[in-house]
């Protein structure tokens, strides 16, 4: 590669002041190019000739995320998009002869491939004019749409922000030939939503040291985990239905017994955070909709906690601030506890959304690899999975 590049840059380069180099692995190849050629006594590249390294659109999306901004032609002024310049675009054309080539000998396969490639090149030559005309029309329409979208975005940006971005763009374009990492400013930086663990660590670091407040974050986190366990148990009971086997009934009884013990421990610690007005023996309230503030307003006077019956552990309401209601939290000065629960619930929602994204990505990959190419009705129909 060094030999080919050096000889290409030494031919008819009188009026060429800058070179744009495309290579599939330019992110690695260009790192020590000057150093290798400096120590080579047979080939060289003029030191005053700047080389702008880039990676084709087809390959750059298979690299690391950092390579996109550093080497994509989209961020190089004057670089155009070329369609069909790489051999990989011919794979779909060669697929038509793959069934015929499977049973051939090696010389016959080579002859067939040569014939197919020669025919492909001939078709490109005779259809070049119509192809360029079609692509030009599509490019003109795409340019108009892109310009309209760009203007809509540009009109919503303040002038000072636009000027700051323009100065930043000029600076990185000037420095990119020296250090491609300067192009990292074009990367999209999306901070990951904080998880329950991250929020819990943050809350524990700022947990108030006043009497009765220490350990509140851990207590609320226990309550949220118990709620998840209750929901899981309810789903399992609903799925099992009334026709349960003795083994299932035993497992449910053990699960309820264990859950009841954990809830008892949780309720015993509630007095430390909810105050002396909390009563563990209050009756369980009826299910009512949330109030206008999004809180469970069933008990402004009493807590929605039922008796500790192990047979109904999954239906016991836990005395979290969201179950007390806004007015009760204000009267008992528990706003700080409600704020902690709100933040932990946000982390819980972030974790759930992350797991949902992973599940969707996993299913999409299964569809692309297994389902789409399946030949059986059981795998390719909607009855799958």
């Amino acid at each position: 590669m060094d030999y080919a590049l050096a000889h290409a840059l030494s031919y008819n380069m009188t009026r060429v002041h800058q070179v744009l180099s495309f290579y599939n692995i330019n992110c690695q190849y260009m790192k020590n190019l000057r150093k290798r050629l400096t120590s080579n006594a047979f080939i060289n590249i003029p030191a005053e000739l700047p080389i702008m390294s880039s990676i084709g659109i087809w390959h750059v999306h298979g690299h690391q995320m950092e390579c996109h901004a550093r080497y994509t032609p989209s961020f190089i002024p004057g670089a155009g998009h070329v369609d069909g310049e790489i051999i990989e675009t011919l794979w779909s054309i060669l697929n038509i002869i793959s069934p015929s080539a499977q049973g051939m000998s090696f010389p016959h396969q080579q002859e067939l491939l040569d014939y197919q490639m020669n025919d492909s090149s001939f078709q490109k030559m005779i259809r070049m004019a119509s192809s360029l005309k079609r692509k030009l029309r599509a490019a003109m329409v795409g340019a108009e749409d892109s310009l309209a979208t760009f203007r809509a975005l540009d009109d919503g940006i303040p002038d000072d922000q636009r000027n700051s971005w323009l100065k930043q763009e000029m600076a990185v374009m000037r420095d990119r030939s020296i250090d491609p990492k300067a192009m990292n400013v074009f990367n999209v930086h999306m901070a990951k939503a904080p998880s329950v663990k991250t929020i819990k660590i943050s809350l524990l670091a700022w947990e108030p040291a006043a009497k009765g407040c220490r350990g509140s974050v851990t207590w609320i986190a226990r309550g949220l985990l118990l709620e998840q366990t209750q929901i899981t148990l309810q789903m399992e009971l609903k799925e099992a239905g009334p026709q349960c086997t003795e083994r299932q009934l035993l497992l449910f009884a053990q699960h309820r017994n264990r859950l009841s013990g954990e809830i008892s421990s949780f309720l015993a610690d509630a007095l430390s955070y909810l105050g002396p007005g909390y009563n563990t023996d209050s009756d369980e309230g009826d299910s009512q909709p949330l109030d206008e503030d999004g809180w469970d307003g069933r008990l402004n006077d009493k807590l929605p906690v039922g008796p500790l019956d192990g047979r109904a552990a999954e239906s016991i309401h836990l005395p979290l601030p969201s179950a007390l209601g806004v007015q009760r939290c204000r009267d008992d000065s528990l706003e700080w506890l409600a704020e902690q629960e709100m933040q932990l619930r946000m982390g819980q929602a972030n974790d759930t959304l992350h797991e949902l994204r992973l599940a969707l990505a996993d299913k999409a990959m299964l569809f692309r690899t297994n389902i789409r190419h399946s030949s059986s009705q059981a795998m390719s129909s909607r009855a799958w999975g």
Side-chain angles (χ1 to χ4, degrees):
M1 182 64 186
D2 293 348
Y3 179 85
L5 181 62
H7 280 74
L9 297 182
S10 62
Y11 176 75
N12 197 16
M13 298 289 292
T14 305
R15 298 182 180 180
V16 177
H17 304 288
Q18 187 176 8
V19 175
L20 179 58
S21 170
F22 284 88
Y23 188 33
N24 300 347
I25 54 172
N26 250 343
C27 53
Q28 299 296 324
Y29 173 72
M30 296 297 294
K31 285 184 176 180
N32 300 313
L33 176 64
R34 299 284 185 177
K35 184 184 299 184
R36 291 196 305 270
L37 296 181
T38 302
S39 59
N40 196 311
F42 301 97
I43 57 176
N44 67 326
I45 294 178
E48 65 278 4
L49 182 64
I51 300 177
M52 187 76 67
S53 58
S54 181
I55 301 175
I57 290 291
W58 197 88
H59 285 97
V60 74
H61 290 290
H63 286 231
Q64 296 181 358
M65 188 177 297
E66 294 80 5
C67 292
H68 183 265
R70 298 177 186 177
Y71 299 101
T72 182
S74 303
F75 297 116
I76 300 178
H81 287 192
V82 182
D83 181 22
E85 83 282 7
I86 54 177
I87 193 64
E88 287 82 359
T89 56
L90 297 177
W91 288 347
S92 59
I93 301 176
L94 294 177
N95 285 339
I96 193 174
I97 64 170
S98 58
S100 302
Q102 289 180 357
M104 297 179 180
S105 61
F106 180 75
H108 196 179
Q109 289 178 348
Q110 185 175 1
E111 183 179 354
L112 179 64
L113 289 174
D114 290 342
Y115 175 81
Q116 184 71 13
M117 293 301 296
N118 289 334
D119 180 72
S120 175
S121 300
F122 179 74
Q123 295 295 334
K124 288 181 181 179
M125 182 180 63
I126 63 176
R127 299 176 182 176
M128 186 179 299
S130 59
S131 176
L132 291 176
K133 185 186 299 184
R134 183 179 67 254
K135 292 179 180 179
L136 177 60
R137 291 175 180 174
M140 293 175 64
V141 174
E144 293 178 358
D145 296 340
S146 300
L147 183 59
T149 304
F150 172 76
R151 287 176 177 173
L153 293 174
D154 188 66
D155 293 340
I157 300 176
D159 293 338
D160 54 346
Q161 183 69 50
R162 184 187 299 106
N163 295 332
S164 175
W165 285 351
L166 289 174
K167 293 179 181 179
Q168 192 176 17
E169 179 188 7
M170 294 174 61
V172 298
M173 289 299 178
R174 183 181 61 252
D175 300 336
R176 68 174 303 169
S177 59
I178 302 175
D179 184 14
K181 294 181 180 179
M183 298 295 293
N184 289 347
V185 296
F186 290 103
N187 285 327
V188 178
H189 301 281
M190 297 182 62
K192 184 180 179 181
S195 62
V196 172
K197 293 182 180 179
T198 304
I199 295 177
K200 188 176 179 180
I201 293 173
S202 177
L203 291 176
L204 287 174
W206 296 96
E207 193 174 38
K211 183 178 180 181
C213 297
R214 180 67 65 182
S216 59
V217 177
T218 305
W219 179 74
I220 294 178
R222 285 172 53 198
L224 298 181
L225 185 60
L226 287 175
E227 278 190 349
Q228 290 184 349
T229 306
Q230 288 178 316
I231 294 174
T232 302
L233 180 57
Q234 290 175 1
M235 294 174 60
E236 292 176 353
L237 289 170
K238 183 177 180 180
E239 183 179 359
Q243 304 297 330
C244 294
T245 63
E246 291 184 351
R247 178 179 177 83
Q248 289 177 319
L249 290 175
L250 178 60
L251 291 176
F252 289 146
Q254 292 175 347
H255 197 173
R256 278 173 166 168
N257 187 33
R258 183 168 58 253
L259 180 60
S260 178
E262 294 175 355
I263 293 177
S264 299
S265 176
F266 177 80
L267 296 178
D269 296 336
L271 292 172
S272 303
Y273 310 106
L274 301 181
Y278 165 69
N279 182 14
T280 58
D281 297 329
S282 59
D283 296 332
E284 183 179 1
D286 297 331
S287 178
Q288 296 180 5
L290 300 179
D291 57 18
E292 58 182 4
D293 294 324
W295 290 74
D296 190 347
R298 288 173 294 182
L299 283 182
N300 290 329
D301 299 326
K302 58 181 180 179
L303 295 176
V305 180
L308 288 180
D309 186 358
R311 294 173 298 175
E314 69 278 3
S315 60
I316 297 176
H317 293 279
L318 303 179
L320 292 169
S322 57
L324 299 178
V326 178
Q327 190 60 40
R328 177 69 179 274
C329 290
R330 291 173 180 172
D331 295 341
D332 296 344
S333 301
L334 298 177
E335 292 92 342
W336 60 273
L337 196 65
E339 179 63 24
Q340 290 181 352
E341 182 189 358
M342 179 65 69
Q343 295 189 36
L344 288 173
R345 286 193 181 276
M346 290 175 60
Q348 190 180 42
N350 294 335
D351 289 346
T352 304
L353 290 175
H354 179 67
E355 293 176 0
L356 180 60
R357 294 189 189 99
L358 293 180
L360 291 175
D362 181 63
K363 179 157 289 191
M365 180 59 65
L366 288 177
F367 269 94
R368 293 190 63 179
T369 56
N370 298 341
I371 310 304
R372 184 178 298 176
H373 305 288
S374 177
S375 58
S376 64
Q377 184 177 1
M379 288 293 293
S380 60
S381 64
R382 291 190 299 174
W384 175 84

